[in-house]
Amino acid sequence: MRAARLIKMVLLLQARPSMTAAELAGELEVSERTITRDAQALSEAGVPVYADRGRSGGYRLIGGYRTRLTGLGRSEAEALFLSGVPGALREMGLEDAASAARLKVSAALMPSLRDASQNASQRFHLDAPGWFKETPAPELLPALADAVWDDRRVTARYRRQDTEVERELEPYGLVLKAGVWYLCARVPDTGSFRVYRIDRFTAIAADEDRFVRDEEFDLPGFWEERAAQFARAILHSEVVLRLSEAGLRQLPYATDSASTQEALETAGAPDAEGWVTLTLPVENETVAYTQLMSLGPEVEVLEPTTLRERFARAAQQMALRYQ
């Protein structure tokens, strides 16, 4: 445990010019007293850790000290080579850089661990897009990726319904969700953060000047919050259903999983035929019709009447067709 902590402490100090005892304690989840003892242990082991005293003091490595990645265990080394999605890197124009990085990491590993890349790639493959649809990479994705890396403000034109809008954006991060690329960006005029589908951009022009990032911005946390808000916001209607046991099992695969879970938690007990009645939040009747038709005879729509009548007409037409 302590050996792993000491290695992580050295790597943290290699990555930053200086860190206070409080910062190191926070990163390593130990007390500042433990940091003091660890720094002393590293110094005695020949690692040149220097402590600056005073209000703005901290710990730093002197003499350009660098360590090779000899502290990695086999499982850590193999996990390292799983940290990217090959298709996503290719679409962003980063495939060559990622390949070079993997070669450098492999060269820095101990000889006994240099097969970690091969072991990982032959056992795990990450395929982000959904089934049965090939989503082409947006043409402007590499340009946006460059702007994200360089913190460069962009002037963007994008399609919004039937019109095109031009706006200045500060591109903070890219997200690949089910094969679709999104840009998380701050609007300088308002300071608000928004999400844009990249395939709706029609033009991108990067500025020469860099913007100053908000250091408190957390891309994974922001995306999780916005995705949950979006999922809730589009559910404007409700339908009342009766479902067989088989229909209950199939429902999560046909509709939004969060709304299905909510509906199941508030559902009543099975009736005499074993069917369960529940109220399901949906986007609208048309979407509900498309989703629920996949359940076939395992679902009965009770409300709204317009949707029930639509199902009845479809059932009659299918019965006539298959006579």
Side-chain angles (χ1 to χ4, degrees), residues 217-233:
F217 178 79
D218 173 34
L219 180 60
F222 171 79
W223 176 259
E224 182 178 2
E225 179 182 348
R226 286 303 173 91
Q229 289 176 356
F230 173 77
R232 291 192 299 268

Side-chain angles (χ1 to χ4, degrees), residues 86-250:
L89 293 172
R90 182 173 57 253
E91 291 176 2
M92 288 189 292
L94 298 175
E95 185 176 26
D96 290 342
S99 177
R102 286 193 293 270
L103 288 173
K104 290 179 180 179
V105 171
S106 296
L109 291 172
M110 292 187 298
S112 62
L113 298 180
R114 288 179 185 166
D115 63 345
S117 174
Q118 181 73 7
N119 283 347
S121 64
Q122 293 304 316
R123 287 165 173 79
F124 301 97
H125 177 68
L126 304 179
D127 186 9
W131 284 102
F132 310 121
K133 54 183 179 181
E134 290 293 332
T135 305
E139 182 180 348
L140 297 175
L141 177 60
L144 276 172
D146 288 342
V148 168
W149 276 117
D150 291 340
D151 294 337
R152 294 191 184 278
R153 185 176 296 183
V154 299
T155 301
R157 292 189 62 83
Y158 67 96
R159 295 187 301 275
R160 189 167 66 184
Q161 296 179 347
D162 297 329
T163 61
E164 279 198 359
V165 178
E166 183 173 289
R167 179 165 292 168
E168 285 193 352
L169 300 173
E170 295 175 351
Y172 267 63
L174 300 172
V175 175
L176 177 61
K177 171 70 171 178
V180 179
W181 282 97
Y182 296 88
L183 173 70
C184 300
R186 181 170 63 183
V187 181
D189 294 341
T190 63
S192 61
F193 288 91
R194 299 183 182 179
V195 177
Y196 301 87
R197 276 187 61 140
I198 294 180
D199 57 8
R200 293 178 182 169
F201 284 101
T202 58
I204 292 291
D207 295 349
E208 290 298 323
D209 297 332
R210 291 181 169 88
F211 64 88
V212 178
R213 293 179 67 93
D214 180 353
E215 295 299 329
E216 295 183 357
F217 178 79
D218 173 34
L219 180 60
F222 171 79
W223 176 259
E224 182 178 2
E225 179 182 348
R226 286 303 173 91
Q229 289 176 356
F230 173 77
R232 291 192 299 268
I234 64 173
L235 302 178
H236 301 295
S237 305
E238 290 183 342
V239 296
V240 181
L241 311 174
R242 280 184 76 235
L243 292 146
S244 68
E245 184 177 346
L248 288 172
R249 290 196 302 269
Q250 297 170 24

Side-chain angles (χ1 to χ4, degrees), residues 54-76:
R55 182 184 299 273
S56 59
Y59 292 93
R60 60 185 175 89
L61 296 174
I62 59 175
Y65 179 85
R66 308 292 295 177
T67 182
R68 290 170 59 128
L69 297 177
T70 53
L72 285 175
R74 172 162 293 278
S75 62
E76 295 169 323

